[in-house]
Amino acid sequence: MAYSTKVLEHYNNPRNVGSFDKDDPMVGTGIVGAPECGDVMKLQIKVNPLTGLIEDAKFKTFGCGSAIASSSLATEWVKGKSLDDALGIRNTEIVEELALPPVKVHCSVLAEDAIKAAIKNLQEKQANSPQAVNS
Amino acid sequence: MIKLPVYLDNNSTTRTDPRVLEVMLPYFTEKFGNSASRNHSYGWETEEGVDLAREQVASVINASSKEIIFTSGATESNNLAIKGVAAMYRKKGNHIITAATEHKAVIDPCMRLERDGGQVTFLPVDKHGLVSPQQVSDAITDKTILVSIMAANNEIGTIHPLKEIGKICKAKGVLFHTDATQAIGKIPLDVEDMGIDLLSMSAHKMYGPKGVGALFVRRKDPRVRIDAMLDGGGHERGMRSGTLNVTGIVGMGMAAEICRKELAPESERLLKLRNRLHEGLTSKLEDIYLNGHPVQRLPGNLNISFAFVEGEGLMMGIKDVAVSSGSACTSASLEPSYVLKALGLGDELAHSSIRFGIGRFNTEEEIDFVINDVVRAVNHLRNMSPLYEMHRQGIDLKTVQWAAH
Ligand SMILES: Cc1ncc(COP(=O)(O)O)c(C=O)c1O
């Protein structure tokens, strides 16, 4: 199976690989997938307390090239967005952008889930912590 | 200078040896007769070519040429052996014993027989992929007609104790078939010494052409009979009708001849290359695991799980190396290799596996290139693996609650 040039490009030059401190109150962490299923994505967002926008994002992924590319793309897309706008990112847009074949659609679903999980984690954190800024 | 990508997928198929191609070529041009044509020299000369090939193929397993039936490959040979025996001996019994790690070309014919009312025992294997002779012995009932255990596994290279299994089958009066597709030319095989009654092989795994294979069917002690699957002109003593693939058969004969003559030095050379690859990887990477048996394995086969890295992702990173993976992502099913799972390997390690298949035409220089390329890619991918990060933080991945999808 040949990979699309966009998948290859993200695979070879993944954007935003790395980790934030998951205990940082402005960081939301989403970990989705399972090793037995062959893919695990960790996606983290860092929100600016003043603007409420996602100012940075990082990922680490265990998975095939399409899973790596999907998460790399997801970190690019969430940057600069409000949480609501980031929640609006659909896996179908990832499929289209990366030209994923049908057998790889699950990679894009996982990336969408990772964004949602990271946002949920951040919101839960903020709800439980009085000093966090709610904007 | 090495040619890229380096071909290390010799368990999948092999390059046709130039010496094999050379003997095949005249059979495409001037020697084009039908080997069944008895009335002219065109037929006689191709029949001669087929006769020689039959001798050559028989010799590599110490059989007689009358016991060799040419087929289209090991898939057909396995189907013919299993279904042919089941049909011929159905009055005697309906039970077949095989292993969980067999190639699909054995498993699926067995499953079809099961759907049609037969009984099949799929023996589990130990952590190295071995079925023990004792397991076989314990599974035999008075309804058992056939035991089919592969000589060497195509994914993990594990070699079965054929002689011991053959002895048990003989003692209990049960036919013994072995799929020797991966073993021919890599380990010595002797149907007499090992008590084998039926044996499958495929030319393209032994540096011959694709689309041709053979089935050995024992002629005496006992005389094995099989029901044909292809009826027609009565070729191959009625067991496999159809005009013979003369070019392919001639090529397979030469391939077998080379395998027989060069087995000892070749397997020694392959083993050296495999050890070089294994040691090279082990010395430069942590947390890598050998799948299959540590010593009782095909000399050219190395199957390794690179923990915390997914197999297909890794193959993408080593695009200058042609290998295959037991990862799910290479199949449409999303299920990792059933062979690796049968070893009791966790799914995550099955997803992380790469099969390196070293063959006749590989060189030390290529192996060194592969070591460097794999090490680079594994480090790159571990650097972006959340599992590796957790492992480094001392988290036991088995205790993590995963949000499986
Ligand atoms: C052990 C084993 N049996 C059978 C086969 C089937 O061979 P062929 O595809 O040539 O029919 C293969 C090859 O994939 C094999 O490795």
Side-chain angles (χ1 to χ4, degrees):
Chain A
M1 168 178 34
Y3 297 96
S4 73
T5 37
K6 284 205 171 127
V7 168
L8 283 170
E9 209 275 309
H10 275 279
Y11 177 89
N12 290 321
N13 308 292
R15 329 285 199 264
N16 310 310
V17 172
S19 298
F20 297 130
D21 175 6
K22 68 174 178 3
D23 298 325
D24 181 332
M26 300 321 289
V27 167
T29 302
I31 300 181
V32 295
E36 328 59 283
C37 302
D39 25 36
V40 175
M41 284 182 192
K42 184 183 85 164
L43 191 143
Q44 293 184 300
I45 52 170
K46 188 182 233 170
V47 170
N48 182 311
L50 300 176
T51 63
L53 299 180
I54 298 171
E55 62 175 14
D56 205 356
K58 295 236 179 271
F59 85 94
K60 286 205 170 189
T61 288
F62 163 83
C64 64
S66 302
I68 289 169
S70 296
S71 33
S72 167
L73 181 66
T75 57
E76 268 196 325
W77 277 1
V78 296
K79 273 202 215 178
K81 284 198 167 64
S82 68
L83 297 184
D84 276 347
D85 285 350
L87 282 172
I89 294 171
R90 291 282 162 267
N91 82 291
T92 47
E93 300 170 271
I94 296 173
V95 169
E96 203 172 308
E97 173 68 17
L98 296 175
L100 296 181
V103 292
K104 296 296 177 188
V105 169
H106 74 278
C107 298
S108 69
V109 173
L110 211 57
E112 183 186 320
D113 289 351
I115 297 173
K116 295 207 162 99
I119 292 173
K120 185 161 168 253
N121 174 257
L122 180 78
Q123 288 172 334
E124 282 171 2
K125 238 188 205 173
Q126 296 191 331
N128 295 335
S129 110
Q131 71 266 39
V133 183
N134 264 317
S135 48
Chain B
M1 266 302 286
I2 57 179
K3 183 178 171 290
L4 298 180
V6 174
Y7 189 74
L8 275 194
D9 203 10
N10 286 282
N11 295 108
S12 181
T13 195
T14 57
R15 175 178 153 194
T16 304
D17 192 298
R19 292 169 288 181
V20 168
L21 178 66
E22 196 185 313
V23 299
M24 290 172 71
L25 287 174
Y27 291 88
F28 285 104
T29 52
E30 65 268 27
K31 300 186 186 181
F32 61 83
N34 185 327
S35 57
S37 296
R38 291 282 150 79
N39 312 313
H40 49 68
S41 60
Y42 291 95
W44 302 332
E45 75 185 352
T46 43
E47 190 185 21
E48 232 168 72
V50 169
D51 285 348
L52 173 63
R54 214 182 284 283
E55 293 283 348
Q56 291 168 317
V57 169
S59 291
V60 81
I61 55 171
N62 189 28
S64 117
S65 62
K66 290 197 181 71
E67 299 174 306
I68 300 299
I69 294 172
F70 286 112
T71 65
S72 63
T75 300
E76 186 187 333
S77 299
N78 287 339
N79 271 269
L80 182 56
I82 293 163
K83 294 174 183 169
V85 163
M88 186 58 83
Y89 294 85
R90 63 172 181 270
K91 292 222 172 66
K92 182 166 180 268
N94 68 346
H95 180 226
I96 292 177
I97 296 166
T98 186
T101 50
E102 293 288 320
H103 191 272
K104 287 282 182 194
V106 165
I107 295 203
D108 285 4
C110 286
M111 301 235 286
R112 183 179 295 278
L113 292 175
E114 212 172 24
R115 285 200 297 278
D116 294 344
Q119 288 204 342
V120 182
T121 302
F122 293 96
L123 295 173
V125 296
D126 71 7
K127 65 174 194 237
H128 293 140
L130 277 176
V131 162
S132 73
Q134 190 59 46
Q135 276 176 286
V136 174
S137 179
D138 292 346
I140 292 177
T141 71
D142 55 359
K143 288 269 174 265
T144 308
I145 48 173
L146 181 70
V147 167
S148 179
I149 301 289
M150 70 203 316
N153 185 272
N154 45 300
E155 287 190 38
I156 51 174
T158 298
I159 297 168
H160 274 120
L162 296 183
K163 186 170 176 173
E164 286 73 18
I165 296 172
K167 220 177 253 167
I168 288 163
C169 292
K170 178 132 287 188
K172 301 216 178 188
V174 173
L175 295 179
F176 178 32
H177 167 249
T178 189
D179 177 354
T181 307
Q182 294 285 343
I184 301 278
K186 280 92 181 176
I187 56 170
L189 288 168
D190 182 328
V191 292
E192 290 308 319
D193 180 52
M194 295 172 159
I196 296 164
D197 298 312
L198 298 120
L199 179 148
S200 303
M201 51 181 130
S202 216
H204 72 100
K205 309 271 189 192
M206 47 197 268
Y207 311 95
K210 292 167 186 59
V212 57
L215 178 66
F216 154 77
V217 184
R218 177 174 289 282
R219 292 250 293 177
K220 56 174 195 290
D221 309 319
R223 181 183 180 89
V224 177
R225 290 155 62 230
I226 54 174
D227 228 7
M229 290 194 299
L230 293 180
D231 295 315
H235 306 78
E236 301 297 275
R237 302 204 325 283
M239 286 189 256
R240 204 278 189 182
S241 287
T243 299
L244 272 61
N245 169 6
V246 176
T247 44
I249 289 167
V250 167
M252 183 170 188
M254 188 60 184
E257 172 89 14
I258 297 169
C259 281
R260 185 174 62 81
K261 289 197 175 135
E262 299 183 358
L263 184 136
E266 174 149 311
S267 53
E268 195 184 306
R269 205 181 67 86
L270 291 179
L271 187 61
K272 239 176 101 187
L273 290 177
R274 183 185 88 198
N275 288 339
R276 188 181 183 92
L277 178 59
H278 195 191
E279 281 155 23
L281 293 172
T282 314
S283 67
K284 296 191 169 111
L285 291 169
E286 283 176 9
D287 299 302
I288 71 175
Y289 306 97
L290 178 70
N291 299 316
H293 201 284
V295 289
Q296 220 167 298
R297 71 186 298 140
L298 290 174
N301 173 286
L302 190 66
N303 189 311
I304 289 195
S305 286
F306 297 88
F308 321 119
V309 170
E310 196 276 333
E312 190 193 343
L314 179 53
M315 286 200 294
M316 198 164 157
I318 48 171
K319 60 179 186 337
D320 286 332
V321 185
V323 288
S324 67
S325 168
S327 142
C329 282
T330 54
S331 67
S333 68
L334 298 183
E335 275 290 307
S337 148
Y338 65 92
V339 172
L340 295 179
K341 286 176 77 165
L343 306 182
L345 202 67
D347 276 13
E348 69 275 22
L349 280 180
H351 280 293
S352 298
S353 77
I354 295 283
R355 178 184 70 182
F356 301 92
I358 304 165
R360 184 175 290 166
F361 303 106
N362 290 121
T363 62
E364 266 186 17
E365 200 186 355
E366 286 180 326
I367 297 298
D368 292 344
F369 174 88
V370 171
I371 294 168
N372 284 329
D373 212 39
V374 170
V375 168
R376 176 195 53 72
V378 168
N379 285 330
H380 171 67
L381 289 169
R382 282 185 174 169
N383 186 41
M384 62 168 112
S385 166
L387 305 182
Y388 189 59
E389 183 177 69
M390 290 175 181
H391 169 73
R392 294 285 295 258
Q393 290 163 352
I395 299 170
D396 180 359
L397 296 175
K398 290 197 172 56
T399 64
V400 177
Q401 283 284 320
W402 300 102
H405 56 297

